[in-house]
Amino acid sequence: ACSYVVPHTFSTIRPATDADVAVALLTNGGHAGDLYQALFRDLLAELCDLDMPQPLGPADHPPVVDVSSYAGTYEREGQRIELEDHDGTLVGRVITTGPLAEIVDHPVDEIELTAVTDSVFVTRVEDETTWTPLVFYALEDGSPYLHAGLRASPRGEDQPG
C-alpha cells in the first residue's frame, strides 16, 4: 500500500475482524513502506496471533517479458510515470507534478521494473527495503492503465497501444 501521490506519505488501515482489532498507520516521512511491514507484522502477530504474508518482491527467476507494449507515459493528477524499454527492461521516472512538486524533497525518482508475471512488476525506490508492485492492465474498452502504489494512471493518448 505504498503511495506515490506525495513521496513519503502513506496511510493504511488493516482490520483483523476475528480478533476485533484494527491497526492504522498515517505517516508523513521516509521509509513508510518499510515501517508498515515491520510495525504491522509485529503488531498483528502480537495482538491477533496473525502472520502477515510476505510482501511481493522479485522472483528468484523473473520471467522474460516483452515489455515494449508497456513503454509510455502514464499520468494522473499529481504524478507522471515515464517508462522506456531499455533492452527488455522497463526503466523510467516517477515525477511528482503540479503544486506538490514544489514542496517535496525529491520530485523525480528513477525506477527500474522487475517482472513478477507478464503484467505484474515490482520496483524499489532508493534506500527502501520494501518493493512496490506495479500492474499493467486494460479497461474493457482497451484503454491501457498502470496501477502503482494503489493508484491508477491511464497511458497518454499519444502513446502506442
Side-chain angles (χ1 to χ4, degrees):
C2 198
S3 170
Y4 278 114
V5 67
V6 178
H8 311 299
T9 298
F10 180 94
S11 63
T12 190
I13 186 166
R14 291 292 182 250
T17 54
D18 290 345
D20 291 329
V21 171
V23 182
L25 175 63
L26 306 171
T27 69
N28 201 17
H31 306 287
D34 295 340
L35 176 63
Y36 164 79
Q37 285 296 325
L39 191 62
F40 275 52
R41 187 170 302 286
D42 290 348
L43 284 173
L44 292 175
E46 183 178 326
L47 297 173
C48 309
D49 197 29
L50 293 175
D51 291 325
M52 278 181 40
Q54 289 301 313
L56 187 63
D60 290 336
H61 304 287
V64 176
V65 176
D66 178 6
V67 299
S68 60
S69 66
Y70 298 136
T73 300
Y74 300 80
E75 190 162 7
R76 61 175 176 72
E77 187 68 33
Q79 181 184 80
R80 183 172 58 252
I81 302 173
E82 300 171 348
L83 298 175
E84 297 178 359
D85 177 354
H86 281 214
D87 298 322
T89 299
L90 280 174
V91 297
R93 303 180 304 161
V94 177
I95 304 163
T96 302
T97 61
L100 296 175
E102 298 175 18
I103 62 171
V104 296
D105 292 336
H106 302 285
V108 178
D109 284 315
E110 302 289 328
I111 59 171
E112 180 175 322
L113 281 62
T114 302
V116 176
T117 71
D118 62 343
S119 62
V120 177
F121 292 73
V122 290
T123 191
R124 188 165 49 190
V125 177
E126 187 177 339
D127 296 331
E128 293 282 330
T129 304
T130 306
W131 293 85
T132 298
L134 297 99
V135 180
F136 294 91
Y137 62 97
L139 299 180
E140 286 184 18
D141 67 1
S143 302
Y145 271 76
L146 171 60
H147 216 113
L150 296 180
R151 289 178 171 70
S153 299
R155 184 162 57 198
E157 293 179 22
D158 61 337
Q159 302 296 317

